[in-house]
Amino acid sequence: RRYVAGGRCKSIAKLEGKVVIITGANTGIGKETARDLARRGKVIIACRDISKAEAAASEIRAETGNQQVIVKKLDLADTKSIREFAEKFLAEEKELHILINNAGVMLCPYSKTADGFEMHLGVNHLGHFLLTFLLLERLKQSAPARIVNVSSLAHHGGRIRFHDLHGEKSYNRGLAYCHSKLANVLFTRELARRLQGKFVLDCSIFPGTKVTANSLHPGSVYSELVRHSLVMTWLWKIFSFFLKTPWEGAQTSVYCAVAEELESVTGQYFSDCQPAYVSSRGRDDETARKLWSVSCELLGIQWD
C-alpha cells in the first residue's frame, strides 16, 4: 500500500496573500489539491458544474476554516466560457501566483467541443492553452509565479497527429486521451522555453520572466476520470487497492505548486514528487513549436 501511494509533498510553505486557480477542483485529485492549498492561501475553484463545485468548496471551507475558497464558472469545452472566466477574474483579482491546469476528460466517445475541437484535445490541451494565454500577464505581474499542468504517464502512448488532430479520419478514445496528454507535456516544454528566454536591449541582457511551467503524472488514481468507460470503471473498482487515493494522487500537483526547491525549476516533468522520464516524443522541440503554432491558429490568437 505504501509503494502504491508514491511520493508525498513535505513542504509546509504558506501562501498568505497569494492566489491560486485550480481547474476541475470539484472532485478527484483537483479537489484534494484545493483542500491542501486552502490550508495555505486563497483558492479559486474553476469548474463547469457549479453545484458540485459549491458543495466541494463548502466542505473545504468547513474543514480548513478558510473562507477564501471561491467558486467560478469555467467550461473548458467552450472558448466563450474560458474568455468570460478570464475576463471576470482579471477584473476582480489583481494577482495570480499559481495556475493549476488540472481538469480533464478521459475515454470519451467521439464528440466535439462547442468550437468543433475533438473533446480530449479541446478540453485537456486547447482549453488550458487558451486559459493560460489569457492569464499569463497577470502571472507575470505577480511573479514569482507557477503554472502546473497535470499530464499523465499515458503521454508515452501519444502522438501529435497534425494530419488528423480532431480524429475525423480515425478515432480511438484511449489513444485520443494519450495524444492530449502528450500535448500537455509539449505545451509545458515550449511555454517554459518562452518564459525563460532572455532578451537584449542596448547591449544589456535581461532575464526572462519569473514564471515557471512544469507538468506531472499524478499516478493511477481511483477517481471519476474513467466514468466514460464501463469496462474501466469496473476494473478500477476491482483493482482499487492497487490505485492511489485522490489525496495520494494530488501530492505531486501540490509539490509542483509549493515546493521551495522548485522555485526556479521549469520545463520539467514530475511523478511521485520527483523528476520523471519523458518520452522521446515529449522531448521533440520541433513538434512542440509546431503544436504551439497550430494551437494558436485553431484558437484564433497570437502568442509570440
Side-chain angles (χ1 to χ4, degrees):
R1 182 63 248 179
R2 285 196 299 271
Y3 175 79
V4 170
R8 178 178 178 180
C9 178
K10 298 178 181 178
S11 172
I12 58 172
K14 294 296 183 181
L15 299 174
E16 284 121 348
K18 296 191 175 183
V19 180
V20 181
I21 290 176
I22 310 173
T23 66
N26 64 307
T27 187
I29 65 172
K31 180 179 177 181
E32 293 305 320
T33 303
R35 194 193 308 274
D36 183 291
L37 297 185
R39 295 189 174 96
R40 306 170 190 257
K42 182 174 181 177
V43 174
I44 294 174
I45 294 177
C47 294
R48 176 177 55 85
D49 191 321
I50 291 295
S51 61
K52 288 185 178 179
E54 287 289 2
S58 178
E59 178 186 319
I60 292 170
R61 289 187 208 110
E63 183 176 322
T64 64
N66 181 5
Q67 298 306 304
Q68 291 295 292
V69 180
I70 301 166
V71 172
K72 297 291 182 184
K73 171 81 172 180
L74 173 65
D75 184 354
L76 288 161
D78 186 345
T79 57
K80 181 180 178 182
S81 174
I82 298 169
R83 291 182 179 279
E84 288 176 351
F85 169 85
E87 183 179 349
K88 290 178 182 178
F89 173 84
L90 295 173
E92 296 170 359
E93 301 288 344
K94 301 307 177 186
E95 294 185 304
L96 174 60
H97 302 90
I98 301 170
L99 171 61
I100 303 180
N101 291 319
N102 164 84
V105 294
M106 181 180 181
L107 302 175
C108 296
Y110 189 77
S111 57
K112 290 187 175 182
T113 68
D115 301 274
F117 309 139
E118 186 277 315
M119 190 61 70
H120 293 90
L121 183 77
V123 171
N124 298 353
H125 169 59
L126 292 171
H128 284 129
F129 188 97
L130 178 59
L131 179 65
T132 304
F133 166 75
L134 295 171
L135 299 178
L136 187 58
E137 286 306 312
R138 189 56 44 90
L139 284 158
K140 289 179 180 179
Q141 294 163 8
S142 310
R146 304 186 190 192
I147 299 166
V148 179
N149 294 324
V150 179
S151 181
S152 170
L153 182 69
H155 86 270
H156 285 270
R159 294 179 63 188
I160 305 302
R161 303 169 69 246
F162 290 109
H163 67 287
D164 190 24
L165 275 177
H166 304 296
E168 294 169 327
K169 297 177 181 177
S170 65
Y171 181 75
N172 177 290
R173 52 184 171 175
L175 289 177
Y177 176 73
C178 295
H179 302 333
S180 70
K181 294 292 103 178
L182 174 59
N184 293 154
V185 172
L186 291 169
F187 168 45
T188 304
R189 186 178 182 88
E190 180 64 9
L191 176 60
R193 185 187 70 80
R194 289 168 178 256
L195 292 172
Q196 200 176 24
K198 296 180 174 65
F199 63 94
V200 179
L201 179 64
D202 295 332
C203 299
S204 297
I205 299 177
F206 292 79
T209 66
K210 290 186 178 180
V211 181
T212 62
N214 292 297
S215 61
L216 66 98
H217 167 55
S220 297
V221 181
Y222 187 67
S223 70
E224 296 179 9
L225 190 59
V226 297
R227 63 186 178 276
H228 293 291
S229 170
L230 183 61
V231 172
M232 289 297 292
T233 298
W234 276 106
L235 287 173
W236 246 228
K237 289 181 179 180
I238 293 169
F239 296 104
S240 60
F241 184 79
F242 300 100
L243 300 173
K244 288 185 177 184
T245 65
W247 182 87
E248 291 163 350
Q251 292 304 298
T252 306
S253 294
V254 175
Y255 174 74
C256 289
V258 304
E260 297 89 340
E261 63 267 29
L262 298 187
E263 185 174 350
S264 60
V265 174
T266 192
Q268 301 299 306
Y269 171 75
F270 293 86
S271 179
D272 285 328
C273 300
Q274 60 185 356
Y277 179 75
V278 179
S279 73
S280 59
R281 291 193 180 102
R283 289 178 274 116
D284 188 329
D285 290 331
E286 184 178 346
T287 300
R289 287 191 290 270
K290 184 175 180 180
L291 177 63
W292 184 284
S293 177
V294 170
S295 298
C296 287
E297 185 178 339
L298 288 170
L299 293 166
I301 60 176
Q302 289 187 325
W303 191 355
D304 298 324

